[in-house]
Amino acid sequence: MRIYSLSIGLFIVICGLAAVSLLIGPADISISQALFALLRGEGDVFVIVMREIRLPRVMLSVLIGFALGISGAAMQGFLRNPLAEPGVVGISASAALGAVIALQTGFAIEGSQLLGALNKGRIAPVFALPIAAMIGALLAAGLILLFGHSGKTERLILIGIGISSIAGAFMSLVLNLSPNPFAAMEIMFWMMGSVADRSMLHVWMASPFIIIGSTILIILGRKLDALSLGEDTAQSLGVNMKAMSAMLIISIALIIGASVAVAGAIGFVGLVVPHMLRPVIGSKPSTLLFASGLGGAALLTSADILTRVIAPERDLKLGVLTALIGAPVFLHLVLKSSKRG
Amino acid sequence: MLISKKIGACIAPLLSVSIVFAEPPKRVVSVNLCTDQLAMTVSSPEQLISVSYLSRDPMSSAMWEEAQNYNINHGQIEELVLLEPDLVLAHEWTSPLLLSMLERFDIPYVQFSSANALDEVSPLILQMGAALGQDNRAANIVENFENRKTELLAQVNRQSHSPRIAAYGPNGWVGGATTLDADILAKSGFENISSEFGLDDGGFMPLEALVIANPDVVLTSTPWPKSSRGESLLAHPALAAVVDHTVEQPKSDASWDCGTPEILTALSQMVELSKQFAEGHR
């Protein structure tokens, strides 16, 4: 029962935050103007601002927050490791590397080139960027879940640091070698993430993959519950570990690849949210997954509001705020686990 | 000739700093995109032995074809020393480290400033002429430049309501009022919306602020090869929706970035657009 009331509570919080987020922006638009423009399409330029700029921003912060929250909870459940999270273990950085390589080799296109392709009725180029990021995420998730699955907590983190460093170095290399002077300056976006100035196209680009991946994770919830009793017990309860690992890796890659392709690598959301929710609803993965998704959506939408309150005229990166909240929690968890070890 | 004499008189104190040679230098190396183009315009063919690699790039340089005739350098001290120049042409933004190394190797250099207004172009051409010992050639170029500029500006038909323009670059960058870009826009008869937003010194304008400002013309940039997030902002559907009832005019960095006679290409482009507004075609 507690999970239902928590979910309803979080849903109401997300709606409230989304409304606040829709009303905050550099353009001076009153609440009534914003509502008329958004809901009834009245007010020319206000309609463009509300529907084409602010709405996709809010939708992405909710969607990507959900994606990060649920994938963090799934990884912690599967690896039975409190420090597991796509950002910490390098899956997000690898996804960003995949996206950067795709953009700089011309496999994926953005901006006016993409609009040109869409005008000619070509839909496929829209998905090239998330698919490239998913391939990057898949490689890292595979490595992490294969090598970080057994052994101590620290081993997983060290493998994650290795993967993050390699992905970060290659990303810098690719961006530095780019013939586009603006691309070279964008390492901050790929490392820290942002949902500013994205369009509905980016929402359509990411949402199918995030929805499919999250659905698979929720279906896997019961099996993750069995796994929390130990691998042998799970197998005796009929869980096929290999099939489950493969499904989990694919869903995490779908979710993180799609998120990073449109908003860069935003860290720590998947780490912090499940830890905040466990004292309230317990640590059963099947209940924690959906709730962590909602918690992630609320956290990321709040962070996105804060970026505009703290620095209204600057494009303050979302990952800066999530790291300010998440990094101390991470440090606390590392110290706690090393004491126990 | 009269015009160039006037300008020459105005910048005499500036030139006295630059003239360091009794006779024209014979091995001149330029390390900056803008000094490259000024030097290629003013020097005698055998005098200039190397220009920067950027001057061969069609995206950056208005004189990229001419630059193919020169050796290129990357502004590194090792390259410069081996070229044995008797003069290096540098810019006010050239790295101070490079300049101090030039001093250590006793290689003379001259620094040129940026042109922040159309009226600052001719003094730069004359300064280049003085540095290269090509005063007469520079004076002729200035005369032609000033005549053509006057001719273009005479075509601008000032209206009671000037068309409002936003020069909106990648990442939403808007140049300040004291830039060459802003001067070209103002002199071609446009009202720059950057001042409405207190961005006289330049800055980032959020996309939604631009949409609300609803300018008549949005001057964007020509996309560079491969993708960047900063440039993809210029293809945002919100901007496209504004551009539906405004004019989108891409500008090329090559014709706009340097204070050389090539700047007249940019001026003539904007004067033409301004005339279309005045004649009611837009």
Side-chain angles (χ1 to χ4, degrees):
Chain A
M1 201 57 209
R2 197 177 249 190
I3 176 69
Y4 292 113
S5 42
L6 178 80
S7 299
I8 293 167
L10 280 173
F11 183 74
I12 295 168
V13 169
I14 292 168
C15 290
L17 289 167
V20 173
S21 185
L22 277 169
L23 294 172
I24 289 184
D28 196 11
I29 304 178
S30 70
I31 294 177
S32 60
Q33 281 170 331
L35 287 176
F36 278 118
L38 188 65
L39 304 173
R40 291 168 58 175
E42 289 172 15
D44 208 7
V45 286
F46 296 142
V47 179
I48 301 174
V49 170
M50 293 308 296
R51 291 189 177 173
E52 303 283 354
I53 300 175
R54 293 196 190 172
L55 187 62
R57 181 174 192 151
V58 174
M59 287 175 79
L60 281 178
S61 71
V62 171
L63 191 71
I64 290 167
F66 187 92
L68 297 173
I70 196 168
S71 45
M75 287 189 69
Q76 289 176 18
F78 181 72
L79 295 168
R80 281 162 289 156
N81 187 326
L83 296 170
E85 191 255 351
V88 169
V89 300
I91 298 175
S92 303
S94 301
L97 175 62
V100 164
I101 290 175
L103 284 173
Q104 297 310 320
T105 54
F107 173 71
I109 46 176
E110 257 213 297
S112 51
Q113 286 177 298
L114 184 54
L115 289 186
L118 284 174
N119 286 339
K120 288 179 192 156
R122 291 167 56 213
I123 305 291
V126 175
F127 299 110
L129 184 64
I131 287 170
M134 280 170 211
I135 295 170
L138 191 67
L139 292 174
L143 283 175
I144 283 293
L145 299 187
L146 287 177
F147 297 112
H149 187 240
S150 55
K152 289 183 178 174
T153 308
E154 288 78 5
R155 180 181 154 86
L156 174 76
I157 301 310
L158 292 174
I159 294 172
I161 290 172
I163 293 174
S164 282
S165 308
I166 293 167
F170 274 109
M171 199 155 44
S172 306
L173 182 69
V174 173
L175 289 174
N176 272 303
L177 294 178
S178 169
N180 189 315
F182 297 102
M185 295 186 273
E186 276 160 14
I187 189 112
M188 254 311 252
F189 166 74
W190 292 109
M191 303 278 251
M192 284 299 189
S194 165
V195 288
D197 295 329
R198 306 270 80 185
S199 66
M200 287 309 268
L201 187 62
H202 294 101
V203 178
W204 305 133
M205 205 184 257
S207 50
F209 303 105
I210 293 176
I211 292 168
I212 294 169
S214 302
T215 310
I216 299 173
L217 287 184
I218 288 168
I219 294 170
L220 287 177
R222 284 293 169 88
K223 291 182 178 172
L224 285 172
D225 288 349
L227 186 64
S228 62
L229 302 169
E231 218 166 287
D232 294 337
T233 319
Q235 275 172 336
S236 69
L237 288 170
V239 176
N240 179 343
M241 282 303 290
K242 276 189 182 161
M244 185 186 165
S245 306
M247 292 300 280
L248 201 103
I249 290 171
I250 291 168
S251 357
I252 300 273
L254 284 175
I255 295 172
I256 298 304
S259 305
V260 171
V262 297
I266 303 166
F268 297 107
V269 175
L271 177 83
V272 174
V273 173
H275 284 285
M276 285 164 74
L277 294 178
R278 268 191 203 101
V280 188
I281 52 167
S283 51
K284 206 164 130 191
S286 60
T287 47
L288 200 58
L289 282 170
F290 188 67
S292 295
L294 292 177
L299 181 69
L300 203 67
T301 309
S302 320
D304 189 41
I305 292 171
L306 274 179
T307 59
R308 282 168 288 165
V309 172
I310 296 171
E313 302 292 322
R314 308 270 167 137
D315 181 18
L316 181 61
K317 300 288 177 264
L318 262 175
V320 175
L321 287 181
T322 56
L324 282 174
I325 303 164
V329 175
F330 175 69
L331 196 62
H332 166 72
L333 292 169
V334 170
L335 293 173
K336 208 165 92 177
S337 75
S338 60
K339 261 185 206 166
R340 205 185 295 147
Chain B
M1 202 61 192
L2 184 70
I3 299 166
S4 55
K5 272 183 185 161
K6 269 187 191 168
I7 294 166
C10 294
I11 59 160
L14 183 75
L15 288 175
S16 64
V17 180
S18 306
I19 300 168
V20 286
F21 295 95
E23 56 183 65
K26 294 187 181 71
R27 294 184 62 79
V28 180
V29 172
S30 166
V31 295
N32 171 272
L33 177 64
C34 294
T35 56
D36 290 342
Q37 294 179 68
L38 278 173
M40 285 190 278
T41 308
V42 175
S43 71
S44 63
E46 69 285 355
Q47 198 177 17
L48 185 64
I49 59 165
S50 175
V51 290
S52 84
Y53 71 101
L54 280 175
S55 61
R56 281 189 180 179
D57 174 13
M59 285 295 290
S60 311
S61 166
M63 296 176 73
W64 65 275
E65 282 174 305
E66 199 161 349
Q68 311 299 323
N69 302 323
Y70 296 89
N71 290 323
I72 53 164
N73 68 77
H74 300 80
Q76 291 177 351
I77 189 67
E78 282 189 27
E79 290 174 291
L80 302 187
V81 170
L82 290 174
L83 285 168
E84 296 179 31
D86 54 8
L87 178 66
V88 169
L89 304 172
H91 191 264
E92 59 178 327
W93 296 338
T94 299
S95 152
L97 286 174
L98 178 69
L99 299 179
S100 68
M101 288 301 276
L102 289 173
E103 280 165 21
R104 274 184 64 187
F105 285 100
D106 279 334
I107 300 173
Y109 66 85
V110 182
Q111 271 182 290
F112 291 76
S113 56
S114 302
N116 291 322
L118 280 171
D119 290 344
E120 291 177 19
V121 176
S122 290
L124 283 175
I125 299 170
L126 293 175
Q127 187 191 355
M128 184 58 82
L132 300 181
Q134 301 287 355
D135 302 74
N136 288 340
R137 191 191 288 253
N140 284 334
I141 294 167
V142 164
E143 190 178 0
N144 289 335
F145 172 77
E146 290 293 335
N147 287 340
R148 176 79 182 122
K149 189 178 88 180
T150 314
E151 206 176 282
L152 281 171
L153 294 180
Q155 296 173 28
V156 177
N157 193 351
R158 296 274 161 192
Q159 302 162 70
S160 50
H161 293 291
S162 307
R164 291 165 67 246
I165 195 165
Y168 201 64
N171 292 311
W173 176 259
V174 176
T178 54
T179 60
L180 187 55
D181 286 14
D183 193 45
I184 291 172
L185 299 182
K187 292 219 164 86
S188 338
F190 289 97
E191 186 192 327
N192 198 335
I193 68 159
S194 67
S195 44
E196 292 173 26
F197 290 85
L199 292 172
D200 282 341
D201 296 323
F204 294 100
M205 182 188 281
L207 183 58
E208 58 180 81
L210 178 74
V211 170
I212 299 284
N214 205 10
D216 298 305
V217 186
V218 179
L219 189 69
T220 57
S221 66
T222 307
W224 285 75
K226 308 298 176 194
S227 298
S228 75
R229 192 174 170 269
E231 289 168 306
S232 75
L233 178 68
L234 304 179
H236 195 286
L239 190 60
V242 177
V243 170
D244 267 353
H245 49 269
T246 63
V247 182
E248 192 179 14
Q249 175 83 50
K251 79 179 177 67
S252 79
D253 290 344
S255 343
W256 286 73
D257 278 358
C258 288
T260 70
E262 298 289 335
I263 201 71
L264 293 176
T265 310
L267 181 65
S268 102
Q269 187 189 16
M270 294 321 294
V271 168
E272 194 51 44
L273 188 62
S274 167
K275 272 161 62 185
Q276 289 177 14
F277 272 96
E279 290 160 10
H281 298 316
R282 294 281 193 179

